[in-house]
C-alpha cells in the first residue's frame, strides 16, 4: 500500500534523576557529597533511507519515544544516556513540526533533529558550596521535548506521466522499465503512484506514473488531487493522450483539460519542460485523429507511439532525457524553508482563573517545577528562592494572590504562603 502522508507524536527521552550520596570510607568520617548526575534523555531524529518507499510503517505507529536517561549513582557516577530514536523515511519527505515546515529531505542519508532529549538532573555533588559542604539536594531529570510531526512524501523523479485514465501510462512504464504496476482494461486501475527506472545506454532516468487525472481534479475530484503533488519535483512532464478516442472522447479536448487542471493546481507546473505523446497509434481509428490533433496544436513537437508495437518509444525516451538535463526555474514555495521570526516573550506569565486559583506559565519555571524533588526540604527551599528571585512571588501578589490560595505551575499545585 502506498501511503504518502503520516502524522506522528514524538517524545524525546527524559533525563535521569540526580543522586544524593555521601562518601562512606574507613578513616574518613566527614566524607563529602558524591552523588552523580543523571544521564541525558535520547533525542528523536528523522533520516532518509533508500529502503523506504512509502510512509506506511508510520501510519500504524502514532506515538514514538526515545529512551530515558538513567539515574546518577554514588561515587560521582553519571547515569547512562538514553537511546536516541531515528525514524526512517523515504527520500523526498517534507517534515512539519507543530504545523511549521522544518525540513525538505531530498538527499539520501539526510538527518534532522525533531525533538531534543532532556538533560540529566544534577546530583548533590554539583550543589556543594563553601557555605553548604554537605547538601542533601538533587534534581529530577528534565522532561524530553514533545512534538507533533506531520510527514508528506513527494516522489523524486525526473519525468512525470500525466493523462486521463486508460491513456496507457502504466503500460508505458512497464514497457520501458522493470516496474510492474497493476494494469487492466478499465479506467482508474492505477490507485497509487509508481516509479520506474529507465536505462538508456550508460544513463538512467526515473519516471513517475501518476493516477489518471479527470476534469475537476484540481478541486478534489477523482484521485488526481491526492497525487498531483508527486509531479511537483519532476523536471519534465509527458502529456500522454489516448489518440484512439477511447469511449468517444476527443483527444484534443483531453489535452486541454489536462493543461487546465495542472495549471489550476500549481502555476509552477506550467513552467516545466513538457512533451505531448499520442499513444495507441496501432488502433485504426487513431490515424485520422492524429492529423486532426496536429492541426489544432501547432509549434510543438508531437510524438506518436504504441505500447503494443513499441513504435516511437526509443526516440521519445532519448529526447525526454535531453530535456531532463536542461535546468528549469520552478522552485515551489514549500521548497524554501521560511525564515523563523523570534518574538520576545516574558520569562513567565501569571493569570487568575475563574475558579479562583492562579496559573504561572513559562518554559523556565515549568521546567524548574518538573525537575524539583519536592519531598526534599532543601530542594523545596531552593525552588521557593528561585521563584522569589524571578519575581514570581511579587507578580502573584500583584494579581491578588493571598496566603492559602492555590497556585498551579505545570502539573503541580501549591498553596501560596507569604
Amino acid at each position: 500500500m502506498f501511503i504518502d502522508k503520516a502524522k506522528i507524536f514524538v517524545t524525546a527521552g527524559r533525563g535521569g534523576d540526580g543522586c544524593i550520596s555521601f562518601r562512606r570510607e574507613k578513616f574518613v568520617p566527614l566524607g563529602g557529597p558524591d552523588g552523580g548526575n543523571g544521564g541525558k534523555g535520547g533525542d528523536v531524529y528523522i533520516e532518509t533511507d533508500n529502503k523506504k518507499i512509502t510512509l506506511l510503517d508510520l501510519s500504524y505507529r502514532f506515538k514514538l519515544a526515545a529512551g530515558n536517561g538513567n539515574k546518577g549513582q554514588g561515587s560521582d557516577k553519571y547515569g547512562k544516556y538514553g537511546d536516541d530514536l531515528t525514524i526512517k523515511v523515504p527520500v523526498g519527505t517534507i517534515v512539519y513540526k507543530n504545523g511549521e515546515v522544518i525540513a525538505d529531505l531530498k538527499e539520501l542519508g539526510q538527518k534532522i533533529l525533531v525533538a531534543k532529549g532532556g538533560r540529566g538532573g544534577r546530583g548533590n555533588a554539583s550543589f556543594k558550596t563553601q557555605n553548604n559542604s554537605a547538601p542533601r539536594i538533587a534534581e529530577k531529570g528534565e522532561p524530553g521535548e514533545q512534538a507533533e510531526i506531520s510527514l508528506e512524501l513527494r516522489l523524486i523523479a525526473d519525468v512525470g506521466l500525466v493523462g486521463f485514465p486508460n491513456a496507457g501510462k502504466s503500460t508505458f512504464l512497464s514497457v520501458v522499465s522493470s516496474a510492474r504496476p497493476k494494469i487492466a482494461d478499465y479506467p482508474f486501475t492505477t490507485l497509487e503512484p509508481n516509479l520506474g527506472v529507465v536505462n538508456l545506454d550508460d544513463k538512467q532516468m526515473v519516471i513517475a506514473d501518476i493516477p489518471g487525472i479527470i476534469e475537476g481534479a484540481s478541486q478534489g475530484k477523482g484521485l488526481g488531487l491526492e497525487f498531483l503533488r508527486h509531479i511537483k519535483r519532476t523536471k519534465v512532464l509527458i502529456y500522454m493522450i489516448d489518440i484512439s478516442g477511447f469511449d468517444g472522447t476527443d483527444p484534443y479536448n483531453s489535452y486541454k483539460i489536462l493543461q487546465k487542471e495542472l495549471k489550476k493546481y500549481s502555476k509552477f507546473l506550467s513552467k516545466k519542460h513538457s512533451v505531448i505523446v499520442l499513444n495507441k497509434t496501432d488502433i485504426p481509428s487513431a490515424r485520422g485523429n492524429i492529423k486532426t490533433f496536429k492541426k489544432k496544436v501547432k509549434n510543438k513537437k508531437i510524438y506518436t507511439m504504441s505500447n503494443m508495437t513499441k513504435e516511437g518509444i526509443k526516440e521519445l525516451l532519448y529526447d525526454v532525457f535531453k530535456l531532463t538535463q536542461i535546468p528549469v526555474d520552478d522552485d515551489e514555495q514549500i521548497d524554501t524553508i521560511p525564515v523563523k521570526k523570534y518574538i520576545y516573550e516574558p520569562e513567565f506569565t501569571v493569570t487568575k482563573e475563574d475558579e479562583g486559583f492562579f496559573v504561572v506559565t513559562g518554559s523556565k519555571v515549568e521546567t524548574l517545577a518538573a525537575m524539583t524533588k519536592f519531598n526534599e526540604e532543601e530542594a523545596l527551599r531552593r525552588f521557593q528562592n528561585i521563584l522569589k528571585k524571578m519575581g514570581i512571588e511579587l507578580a502573584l501578589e500583584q494579581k491578588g494572590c493571598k496566603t492559602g490560595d492555590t497556585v498551579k505551575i505545570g502539573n503541580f499545585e501549591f498553596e501560596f504562603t507569604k
Side-chain angles (χ1 to χ4, degrees):
M1 184 184 297
F2 184 86
I3 300 295
D4 59 356
K5 282 186 176 180
K7 184 177 287 187
I8 55 177
F9 188 80
V10 299
T11 304
R14 183 185 186 107
D17 293 348
C19 173
I20 296 179
S21 173
F22 294 90
R23 289 172 60 196
R24 292 290 183 267
E25 299 178 30
K26 192 175 182 180
F27 309 120
V28 186
L30 299 176
D34 65 352
N37 299 343
K40 176 183 173 298
D43 299 324
V44 180
Y45 296 91
I46 291 180
E47 182 179 19
T48 54
D49 186 345
N50 60 357
K51 294 181 182 178
K52 297 289 183 180
I53 59 174
T54 174
L55 298 173
L56 177 63
D57 294 349
L58 297 176
S59 66
Y60 298 118
R61 302 169 62 198
F62 178 68
K63 293 184 178 180
L64 298 166
N68 295 327
N70 290 356
K71 295 180 179 180
Q73 299 180 31
S75 301
D76 291 313
K77 292 180 180 178
Y78 280 44
K80 182 181 177 182
Y81 280 22
D83 293 331
D84 293 337
L85 171 66
T86 301
I87 302 168
K88 303 289 187 176
V89 298
V91 176
T93 300
I94 298 172
V95 183
Y96 299 80
K97 180 178 178 180
N98 299 327
E100 180 181 324
V101 178
I102 61 168
D104 188 359
L105 307 179
K106 296 180 180 180
E107 299 176 5
L108 182 62
Q110 204 169 345
K111 188 174 182 179
I112 61 161
L113 174 69
V114 293
K116 188 176 180 181
R119 72 173 177 85
R122 289 176 290 176
N124 66 334
S126 300
F127 289 94
K128 180 181 177 180
T129 65
Q130 190 173 6
N131 296 328
N132 187 0
S133 59
R136 302 192 63 83
I137 180 173
E139 294 175 321
K140 292 196 292 184
E142 180 185 16
E145 185 182 359
Q146 295 182 329
E148 184 180 78
I149 304 295
S150 296
L151 303 170
E152 179 183 319
L153 172 62
R154 293 186 185 172
L155 298 178
I156 303 293
D158 301 302
V159 181
L161 296 175
V162 293
F164 270 58
N166 229 39
K169 304 186 306 299
S170 297
T171 305
F172 173 74
L173 191 66
S174 68
V175 169
V176 301
S177 73
S178 59
R180 293 294 176 262
K182 294 179 181 179
I183 302 169
D185 191 21
Y186 52 86
F188 295 107
T189 56
T190 306
L191 300 179
E192 58 188 44
N194 292 290
L195 286 180
V197 179
V198 179
N199 293 300
L200 297 171
D201 300 327
D202 59 340
K203 306 175 183 68
Q204 285 185 337
M205 66 178 173
V206 180
I207 298 180
D209 169 27
I210 307 302
I213 298 172
I214 63 173
E215 188 168 12
S218 58
Q219 278 76 48
K221 292 184 180 180
L223 298 170
L225 184 60
E226 275 301 304
F227 298 112
L228 274 172
R229 75 176 75 92
H230 293 295
I231 61 175
K232 286 186 174 182
R233 297 191 193 275
T234 58
K235 301 171 185 176
V236 180
L237 298 180
I238 294 179
Y239 289 91
M240 189 158 288
I241 310 297
D242 179 358
I243 198 61
S244 70
F246 173 79
D247 203 20
T249 57
D250 178 9
Y252 176 74
N253 187 49
S254 298
Y255 170 62
K256 298 305 290 183
I257 290 173
L258 288 173
Q259 277 194 315
K260 181 182 71 174
E261 293 302 324
L262 264 60
K263 192 171 184 179
K264 280 184 179 180
Y265 180 74
S266 172
K267 63 181 181 179
F268 294 96
L269 293 181
S270 62
K271 296 181 180 180
K272 293 182 182 293
H273 303 303
S274 63
V275 297
I276 302 170
V277 177
L278 306 182
N279 190 24
K280 303 185 182 181
T281 57
D282 56 291
I283 300 176
S285 60
R287 295 173 185 173
N289 290 338
I290 292 174
K291 292 180 181 179
T292 304
F293 190 94
K294 287 185 175 180
K295 286 180 181 178
K296 293 181 178 179
V297 180
K298 298 178 180 179
N299 302 322
K300 280 198 174 185
K301 185 171 180 179
I302 298 173
Y303 296 82
T304 56
M305 56 159 272
S306 167
N307 288 323
M308 296 297 293
T309 65
K310 312 296 190 297
E311 177 191 354
I313 290 180
K314 189 172 183 179
E315 178 192 2
L316 169 65
L317 292 176
Y318 277 97
D319 286 356
V320 168
F321 179 79
K322 290 176 183 177
L323 284 177
T324 63
Q325 306 306 301
I326 302 174
V328 58
D329 182 19
D330 65 344
D331 288 339
E332 289 278 357
Q333 293 179 354
I334 194 68
D335 292 335
T336 303
I337 306 301
V339 177
K340 293 182 179 180
K341 295 182 179 179
Y342 293 92
I343 302 173
Y344 170 77
E345 293 182 355
E347 276 192 316
F348 64 89
T349 56
V350 177
T351 56
K352 184 176 182 180
E353 300 298 315
D354 294 336
E355 293 80 359
F357 62 86
F358 296 81
V359 178
V360 180
T361 56
S363 176
K364 183 177 179 179
V365 66
E366 289 178 34
T367 299
L368 175 66
M371 297 181 69
T372 298
K373 295 184 177 183
F374 293 106
N375 58 339
E376 296 171 3
E377 185 178 346
E378 279 194 48
L380 182 58
R381 281 204 304 269
R382 174 176 176 266
F383 179 75
Q384 291 173 325
N385 289 336
I386 293 175
L387 294 189
K388 190 169 185 178
K389 290 178 180 178
M390 289 178 66
I392 293 175
E393 183 179 304
L394 179 61
L396 284 167
E397 290 179 343
Q398 291 174 344
K399 286 286 184 178
C401 188
K402 299 177 182 177
T403 300
D405 288 343
T406 300
V407 178
K408 292 185 69 174
I409 301 177
N411 297 324
F412 301 91
E413 291 188 5
F414 307 93
E415 184 178 299
F416 184 76
T417 56
K418 179 66 174 158

